[in-house]
Amino acid sequence: MPNRDDCLQLDAHDPLAPLRAAFELPPSVVYLDGNSLGARPRAAAARAAQVVQQEWGEGLIRSWNSAGWFALPRRLGDRLAPLIGAGAGEVLVTDTTSVNLFKLLGALLRLQHERDARRRVIVSERGNFPTDLHIAQGLARMLRQGHELRLVDRAEDIPAALGDDVAVLMLTQVDYRTGALHDMAALTRLAHERGALALWDLAHSAGALPVDLRGADADAAVGCTYKYLNGGPGAPAFLWIAPRWQGVLETPLSGWWGHAEPFAMEPQYRPDAGIGRFLCGTQGIVSQALVECGLEVFERTDMAAVRHKSLALTDLFIALVEQRCGAHPLTLITPRQHERRGSQVSWQHPQGYAVMQALIGRGVIGDYREPGILRFGFTPLYTRFIDVWDAVEALRAVLDGEEWKQERFQVRTAVT
Ligand SMILES: *Cc1c(COP(=O)(O)O)cnc(C)c1O
């Protein structure tokens, strides 16, 4: 079993180690929550100042053209595309993941309705992130055509749920609680065989592991930029549409930015011929501009290298926790097999919330999710092997010393 010096050696030989310098991280913190809010790229401070001072302050309205503001959602989409196995002109960075889900799910349901009006079921997992389910529920209610959300409790139950009434299989590739990774290509193939379309949420996979949307033959996808892509708090999300559906799918949020000629100011909506039709309205430029700083770091490596280190970090974390905290009631809920694991490790503990608060008190930042889940995200661009060691030692101290029993660690905050 590796010791602390071995971890330092692993860092010394890590080809991704130099990329950590591209991020601003407080020295006293071990940050294992990049799956919820990525760390800040150093370049983001200067970029924000440039957007606010020069582009907005001096350029004023001219910056929609001269600073490229108007083209930003497409330009960022093209830059993000290689990380998710997409091509140029297929991706937009815009709106939130929730809103993009609404647009794409609405578009796919309409397409299915035209092909076979009996297909009105959306299949997903009960454990999917709540907003994905809530958006589907709201859309089904609004359509008033008998649409419904059918939920399965286990991934193994997905095939049986794909009956001839199913319109869309809507899944998140990596489970936000357990870190379990779906086989996107196999499930997409199955959905297609059953006549359904496949919509993927990449919130915990974009920037975390190699994703191949085109290779998997998926139909559409959404994802966050503020998690593994380090775009900043509340940074706009992304959406992708398969080449075969470009110019075919119609967005239910037909705003003026999706019009073929927004500045023709026509009363009649006429969609853009390409991916641009999935824009809705004016973008939050300050936040959007910062997404580029996160993407730039990824251009200095490749996703195969990121994945290799991610698995090494999560393997090490699992092994060390089992060895050094083995006496405590921690249950691993993340799959051990590499091909089934994302870039996070989750443990269940009867006092999970208080344990996480005590860990954060020691400067080891992970997060907590119901029920009783300690969640640790590993972000190979800036997480070191020594961070894994130090995090496990802090966890051991919290558990051995029963630090979590302190009153102050029981208090619930609004965001966990
Ligand atoms: C984080 C996350 C979201 C977040 O959606 P927002 O609209 O950005 O709040 C959605 N879906 C999944 C699966 C997530 O993990």
Side-chain angles (χ1 to χ4, degrees):
M1 189 57 61
N3 59 30
R4 196 168 195 278
D5 282 341
D6 296 328
C7 293
L8 289 171
Q9 280 304 308
L10 286 169
D11 285 325
H13 296 106
D14 169 19
L16 297 190
L19 297 184
R20 183 176 162 90
F23 294 91
E24 187 72 46
L25 286 158
S28 57
V29 158
V30 172
Y31 194 58
L32 300 179
D33 213 358
N35 53 323
S36 212
L37 174 63
R40 171 165 84 74
R42 280 190 201 279
R47 180 77 184 110
Q50 183 193 7
V51 174
V52 172
Q53 286 168 9
Q54 274 102 54
E55 297 181 5
W56 179 16
E58 293 166 26
L60 292 164
I61 192 117
R62 294 170 289 188
S63 287
W64 284 109
N65 295 310
S66 62
W69 288 354
F70 190 71
L72 208 48
R74 289 176 174 84
R75 191 159 60 77
L76 293 174
D78 286 346
R79 226 162 158 178
L80 193 154
L83 299 181
I84 56 172
E90 297 170 11
V91 182
L92 287 176
V93 170
T94 186
D95 297 335
T96 66
T97 300
S98 304
V99 170
N100 287 336
L101 274 167
F102 182 89
K103 293 187 288 187
L104 290 181
L105 188 56
L108 293 174
L109 290 177
R110 183 188 339 223
L111 176 70
Q112 284 289 49
H113 188 78
E114 283 162 9
R115 303 200 308 183
D116 178 354
R118 291 167 309 166
R119 291 189 173 271
R120 288 179 296 214
V121 174
I122 305 151
V123 169
S124 193
E125 292 179 283
R126 200 177 308 279
N128 198 348
F129 193 85
T131 205
D132 299 50
L133 305 181
H134 299 167
I135 289 289
Q137 288 159 358
L139 197 47
R141 275 175 61 82
M142 193 192 75
L143 290 172
R144 298 199 162 274
Q145 285 171 336
H147 287 88
E148 63 171 280
L149 178 62
R150 178 179 297 158
L151 298 178
V152 300
D153 287 304
R154 305 173 314 159
E156 305 88 272
D157 299 332
I158 293 170
L162 293 174
D164 59 10
D165 54 355
V166 175
V168 177
L169 173 62
M170 179 187 77
L171 295 173
T172 296
Q173 192 187 11
V174 174
D175 186 285
Y176 79 101
R177 278 198 188 91
T178 64
L181 168 65
H182 279 306
D183 183 337
M184 181 190 283
L187 284 165
T188 300
R189 200 179 317 118
L190 185 68
H192 289 171
E193 281 166 14
R194 304 284 175 83
L197 298 168
L199 170 57
W200 288 93
D201 188 331
L202 309 179
H204 293 276
S205 36
L209 44 97
V211 177
D212 190 3
L213 286 167
R214 275 172 165 238
D217 201 29
D219 294 288
V222 299
C224 297
T225 67
Y226 55 75
K227 294 174 178 167
Y228 289 93
L229 295 174
N230 310 307
F238 65 86
L239 64 83
W240 169 81
I241 294 173
R244 64 179 167 282
W245 301 130
Q246 297 280 347
V248 176
L249 293 185
E250 295 176 46
T251 176
L253 294 183
S254 45
W256 74 300
W257 270 54
H259 193 276
E261 292 177 83
F263 286 88
M265 299 292 174
E266 294 172 6
Q268 182 59 39
Y269 178 71
R270 197 161 49 87
D272 178 75
I275 190 74
R277 62 173 59 189
F278 274 81
L279 290 168
C280 183
T282 309
Q283 309 292 304
I285 296 298
V286 181
S287 182
Q288 196 162 44
L290 303 189
V291 172
E292 195 140 47
C293 303
L295 295 177
E296 275 162 8
V297 185
F298 280 95
E299 288 167 6
R300 294 164 57 187
T301 178
D302 61 73
M303 287 312 299
V306 169
R307 179 64 169 163
H308 185 263
K309 183 177 172 188
S310 159
L311 289 171
L313 290 167
T314 51
D315 275 346
L316 177 67
F317 185 67
I318 292 171
L320 287 176
V321 170
E322 288 186 331
Q323 188 210 21
R324 305 180 73 77
C325 308
H328 299 284
L330 288 168
T331 310
L332 180 69
I333 60 167
T334 300
R336 287 175 196 273
Q337 311 97 285
H338 284 177
E339 61 280 6
R340 296 235 38 234
R341 192 194 305 161
S343 198
Q344 72 179 62
V345 177
S346 300
W347 305 87
Q348 226 162 359
H349 184 282
Q351 298 297 330
Y353 182 81
V355 171
M356 182 51 76
Q357 298 319 300
L359 260 183
I360 293 171
R362 281 181 165 267
V364 174
I365 303 181
D367 64 20
Y368 174 79
R369 287 290 177 268
E370 293 293 345
I373 297 167
L374 303 167
R375 199 168 66 143
F376 300 92
F378 295 84
T379 43
L381 300 184
Y382 52 84
T383 304
R384 298 167 299 191
F385 291 93
I386 194 65
D387 294 328
V388 175
W389 178 271
D390 290 343
V392 176
E393 281 309 280
L395 181 60
R396 190 168 68 85
V398 163
L399 294 172
D400 285 355
E402 298 193 329
E403 279 175 28
W404 55 268
K405 286 191 171 166
Q406 294 172 34
E407 199 62 43
R408 62 193 170 118
F409 296 137
Q410 317 301 318
V411 185
R412 296 267 172 157
T413 49
V415 176
T416 63

